[in-house]
mmCIF file of all heavy atoms in Angstrom:
data_model
loop_
_atom_site.group_PDB
_atom_site.id
_atom_site.type_symbol
_atom_site.label_atom_id
_atom_site.label_comp_id
_atom_site.label_asym_id
_atom_site.label_seq_id
_atom_site.Cartn_x
_atom_site.Cartn_y
_atom_site.Cartn_z
ATOM 1 N N ILE A 62 6.842 -14.907 40.942
ATOM 2 C CA ILE A 62 7.181 -14.264 42.227
ATOM 3 C C ILE A 62 7.026 -12.760 42.025
ATOM 4 O O ILE A 62 7.747 -12.155 41.216
ATOM 5 C CB ILE A 62 8.616 -14.619 42.673
ATOM 6 C CG1 ILE A 62 8.781 -16.143 42.756
ATOM 7 C CG2 ILE A 62 8.944 -13.945 44.003
ATOM 8 C CD1 ILE A 62 10.186 -16.607 43.118
ATOM 9 N N GLY A 63 6.071 -12.166 42.725
ATOM 10 C CA GLY A 63 5.700 -10.771 42.491
ATOM 11 C C GLY A 63 4.563 -10.756 41.477
ATOM 12 O O GLY A 63 4.787 -10.917 40.279
ATOM 13 N N THR A 64 3.348 -10.623 41.999
ATOM 14 C CA THR A 64 2.189 -10.638 41.091
ATOM 15 C C THR A 64 1.380 -9.352 41.262
ATOM 16 O O THR A 64 0.171 -9.373 41.431
ATOM 17 C CB THR A 64 1.301 -11.883 41.328
ATOM 18 O OG1 THR A 64 0.846 -11.855 42.679
ATOM 19 C CG2 THR A 64 2.071 -13.155 41.059
ATOM 20 N N GLY A 65 2.110 -8.230 41.226
ATOM 21 C CA GLY A 65 1.453 -6.920 41.213
ATOM 22 C C GLY A 65 1.012 -6.624 39.793
ATOM 23 O O GLY A 65 0.662 -7.518 39.018
ATOM 24 N N THR A 66 1.072 -5.362 39.414
ATOM 25 C CA THR A 66 0.599 -4.950 38.086
ATOM 26 C C THR A 66 1.317 -5.729 36.989
ATOM 27 O O THR A 66 0.691 -6.333 36.119
ATOM 28 C CB THR A 66 0.881 -3.440 37.896
ATOM 29 O OG1 THR A 66 0.479 -2.764 39.074
ATOM 30 C CG2 THR A 66 0.146 -2.891 36.703
ATOM 31 N N ARG A 67 2.627 -5.720 37.033
ATOM 32 C CA ARG A 67 3.390 -6.359 35.967
ATOM 33 C C ARG A 67 3.282 -7.879 36.033
ATOM 34 O O ARG A 67 3.139 -8.549 35.011
ATOM 35 C CB ARG A 67 4.860 -5.948 36.061
ATOM 36 C CG ARG A 67 5.686 -6.419 34.889
ATOM 37 C CD ARG A 67 5.098 -5.926 33.611
ATOM 38 N NE ARG A 67 5.910 -6.176 32.448
ATOM 39 C CZ ARG A 67 5.534 -5.864 31.219
ATOM 40 N NH1 ARG A 67 4.366 -5.296 31.005
ATOM 41 N NH2 ARG A 67 6.315 -6.114 30.204
ATOM 42 N N GLY A 68 3.355 -8.406 37.257
ATOM 43 C CA GLY A 68 3.265 -9.851 37.404
ATOM 44 C C GLY A 68 1.967 -10.375 36.805
ATOM 45 O O GLY A 68 1.957 -11.412 36.119
ATOM 46 N N CYS A 69 0.869 -9.664 37.032
ATOM 47 C CA CYS A 69 -0.416 -10.101 36.484
ATOM 48 C C CYS A 69 -0.436 -9.979 34.957
ATOM 49 O O CYS A 69 -0.949 -10.858 34.264
ATOM 50 C CB CYS A 69 -1.567 -9.313 37.115
ATOM 51 S SG CYS A 69 -1.906 -9.871 38.802
ATOM 52 N N GLN A 70 0.165 -8.894 34.440
ATOM 53 C CA GLN A 70 0.258 -8.754 32.965
ATOM 54 C C GLN A 70 1.032 -9.924 32.369
ATOM 55 O O GLN A 70 0.666 -10.472 31.339
ATOM 56 C CB GLN A 70 1.037 -7.479 32.613
ATOM 57 C CG GLN A 70 0.224 -6.223 32.520
ATOM 58 C CD GLN A 70 1.121 -5.066 32.055
ATOM 59 O OE1 GLN A 70 2.257 -4.920 32.492
ATOM 60 N NE2 GLN A 70 0.593 -4.252 31.162
ATOM 61 N N LEU A 71 2.120 -10.274 33.046
ATOM 62 C CA LEU A 71 2.963 -11.378 32.551
ATOM 63 C C LEU A 71 2.188 -12.695 32.592
ATOM 64 O O LEU A 71 2.291 -13.505 31.667
ATOM 65 C CB LEU A 71 4.233 -11.480 33.388
ATOM 66 C CG LEU A 71 5.288 -10.407 33.082
ATOM 67 C CD1 LEU A 71 6.230 -10.216 34.258
ATOM 68 C CD2 LEU A 71 6.074 -10.781 31.833
ATOM 69 N N LEU A 72 1.416 -12.889 33.650
ATOM 70 C CA LEU A 72 0.647 -14.133 33.756
ATOM 71 C C LEU A 72 -0.413 -14.206 32.653
ATOM 72 O O LEU A 72 -0.617 -15.249 32.048
ATOM 73 C CB LEU A 72 -0.003 -14.247 35.138
ATOM 74 C CG LEU A 72 0.958 -14.619 36.268
ATOM 75 C CD1 LEU A 72 0.267 -14.550 37.625
ATOM 76 C CD2 LEU A 72 1.548 -16.023 36.064
ATOM 77 N N GLU A 73 -1.055 -13.081 32.383
ATOM 78 C CA GLU A 73 -2.050 -13.073 31.299
ATOM 79 C C GLU A 73 -1.393 -13.372 29.964
ATOM 80 O O GLU A 73 -1.893 -14.171 29.173
ATOM 81 C CB GLU A 73 -2.738 -11.708 31.232
ATOM 82 C CG GLU A 73 -3.986 -11.672 32.074
ATOM 83 C CD GLU A 73 -4.600 -10.277 32.147
ATOM 84 O OE1 GLU A 73 -4.592 -9.555 31.145
ATOM 85 O OE2 GLU A 73 -5.082 -9.931 33.249
ATOM 86 N N ALA A 74 -0.253 -12.736 29.705
ATOM 87 C CA ALA A 74 0.434 -12.958 28.430
ATOM 88 C C ALA A 74 0.949 -14.392 28.330
ATOM 89 O O ALA A 74 1.038 -14.957 27.232
ATOM 90 C CB ALA A 74 1.583 -11.961 28.270
ATOM 91 N N SER A 75 1.260 -15.003 29.485
ATOM 92 C CA SER A 75 1.800 -16.374 29.459
ATOM 93 C C SER A 75 0.774 -17.353 28.892
ATOM 94 O O SER A 75 1.136 -18.414 28.396
ATOM 95 C CB SER A 75 2.241 -16.804 30.859
ATOM 96 O OG SER A 75 1.117 -17.145 31.657
#
Side-chain angles (χ1 to χ4, degrees):
I62 304 177
T64 60
T66 314
R67 188 56 172 177
C69 285
Q70 273 184 318
L71 284 157
L72 285 173
E73 269 173 38
S75 77

